[in-house]
Amino acid sequence: MSNNEKQDEKELWQRIPNTEGTERAETFVALSHIAYDRGDHKASLALCESAREIYEQLGAETSTSALMHVYEGISWSLRKLDRDEEAAELAMRAVDLLKEDSPLDAADMMRDAGRFYFAAGKYEKSLQCHQNAIAEVDPNTTDFIMGIDSYNCGFALIRLERYADSLPLMLAARNYLKKAKEPEKVYYCDEYLAVSYIELKNGVEATTHAQKCLDFAQSAQNEALETWARYRLGCAKVLLGEFDEAEDLLRQALATNVHAGNTDWDLAIELEKEIANILVIKGLVGEANEIKRRIATIEDTMKDED
């Protein structure tokens, strides 16, 4: 923090005892911004909660935008503290306060709640939030917003293992984001379409979308995306019985992943398991067992201790 920023913070704290009502709440909010920006999210949370108490006491005197702003501050501070479910529940309280006078602001807060619930692993609640956001009629909506809303619904359904239900939403998301000229976002739609088709044992469609992923990743020269695309395409090729090509794709994905600066070990384990399964199909059981023995060591290292 620069000397000027320290001085600004000091002056704001000195102002607190001499202010009340809206001015006092606004001072707490300004201090919360400073705390948040320096990474002190506990302080940011406490300051936002102080501002909220004042605004709620003021009732009708408080503007909707001011109340929404402070609720956003509390929610994102909670999110930074990995208190995702609390952040979601607070965002839902804000939705209740906003929905009568400002339904579009309430819909945006609903989207935040959906993201927070997803991060907390509450996928059904996340799905409900994003469905409610889609249902809100917004004359100023865009293809991008509709695409993201549809994607979030589809992704929640995938986490709920409702793969067939996810397909129309992911396809809609892909269409909207294609119209919005967002190629990387389209990549993610194709990836999770491939995931769903793989789970549904539809190798043809899985291959189509996984290949589109690989096409983008190679053009973008993005090794991380290329690794995942090869993994999805390899799994899709297994469903088609194209085992040699599947093995090549999975080995390429494994090589790229382990040579990356930050290896995804969970992905490495999954790739090795898929390769071992192919080797068993080919009758190379000894080689497959050696892979399984080797990855057991990594799995033991990576597992959560009770």
Side-chain angles (χ1 to χ4, degrees):
M1 184 185 293
S2 69
N3 289 333
N4 286 339
E5 289 172 329
K6 289 180 180 178
Q7 184 61 32
D8 289 344
E9 184 176 19
K10 182 179 179 181
E11 290 175 0
L12 287 168
W13 278 113
Q14 290 172 339
R15 191 186 303 170
I16 293 291
N18 304 312
T19 58
E20 59 184 25
T22 299
E23 185 180 356
R24 188 181 181 90
E26 288 173 349
T27 305
F28 279 129
V29 170
L31 285 164
S32 78
H33 289 164
I34 294 172
Y36 189 95
D37 288 343
R38 69 165 173 256
D40 189 350
H41 302 117
K42 287 185 178 179
S44 174
L45 174 61
L47 289 160
C48 282
E49 286 179 334
S50 296
R52 181 185 64 175
E53 289 176 9
I54 295 170
Y55 283 138
E56 289 181 348
Q57 288 169 4
L58 292 171
E61 295 179 38
T62 303
S63 70
T64 300
S65 61
L67 197 57
M68 180 178 177
H69 185 62
V70 79
Y71 268 97
E72 284 179 332
I74 295 171
S75 294
W76 282 101
S77 295
L78 287 168
R79 177 75 179 87
K80 289 291 185 178
L81 294 168
D82 295 322
R83 293 163 61 182
D84 299 299
E85 190 168 5
E86 290 177 69
E89 289 169 354
L90 188 87
M92 291 304 294
R93 285 183 59 189
V95 170
D96 289 337
L97 291 170
L98 293 166
K99 63 184 178 183
E100 293 297 329
D101 297 327
S102 187
L104 297 183
D105 287 336
D108 283 340
M109 191 64 77
M110 183 78 74
R111 291 181 176 94
D112 282 344
R115 284 187 280 269
F116 300 149
Y117 275 131
F118 190 95
K122 304 294 182 180
Y123 303 124
E124 190 66 54
K125 288 184 176 180
S126 176
L127 174 62
Q128 290 170 2
C129 287
H130 290 302
Q131 287 174 330
N132 289 340
I134 287 177
E136 185 63 46
V137 178
D138 180 359
N140 297 316
T141 196
T142 63
D143 287 326
F144 180 80
I145 292 170
M146 291 297 294
I148 295 299
D149 283 342
S150 299
Y151 174 88
N152 286 333
C153 287
F155 201 10
L157 286 164
I158 288 171
R159 285 289 185 260
L160 291 166
E161 299 183 2
R162 293 168 55 185
Y163 301 109
D165 291 337
S166 76
L167 293 176
L169 285 154
M170 276 297 178
L171 288 167
R174 189 186 193 283
N175 185 48
Y176 283 124
L177 293 167
K178 182 180 177 182
K179 288 180 181 177
K181 304 290 190 287
E182 291 283 347
E184 187 168 335
K185 297 290 190 299
V186 170
Y187 166 95
Y188 287 110
C189 294
D190 279 321
E191 182 185 4
Y192 286 104
L193 282 163
V195 167
S196 291
Y197 282 121
I198 288 167
E199 292 294 336
L200 294 168
K201 309 301 181 188
N202 186 333
V204 173
E205 290 294 341
T207 297
T208 297
H209 289 283
Q211 183 63 60
K212 289 178 185 295
C213 288
L214 185 56
D215 292 343
F216 170 79
Q218 289 178 315
S219 294
Q221 298 185 39
N222 186 319
E223 285 192 347
L225 296 185
E226 189 172 338
T227 298
W228 280 98
R230 289 187 187 281
Y231 172 42
R232 306 303 188 195
L233 187 55
C235 292
K237 291 291 186 179
V238 168
L239 294 174
L240 297 179
E242 298 175 9
F243 300 118
D244 289 339
E245 187 173 353
E247 184 181 349
D248 287 344
L249 286 161
L250 294 169
R251 289 191 183 279
Q252 289 169 29
L254 180 63
T256 306
N257 180 46
V258 298
H259 292 146
N262 185 21
T263 301
D264 185 332
W265 289 109
D266 290 329
L267 176 59
I269 290 167
E270 288 303 313
L271 285 162
E272 290 270 44
K273 285 181 177 179
E274 292 293 339
I275 292 168
N277 290 338
I278 291 172
L279 293 174
V280 170
I281 292 169
K282 289 181 172 183
L284 302 172
V285 177
E287 190 175 341
N289 287 339
E290 175 59 20
I291 290 175
K292 291 175 183 179
R293 184 201 62 77
R294 187 172 68 235
I295 62 175
T297 302
I298 302 174
E299 286 186 300
D300 182 63
T301 301
M302 297 300 293
K303 71 181 180 182
D304 293 328
E305 296 293 338
D306 293 332

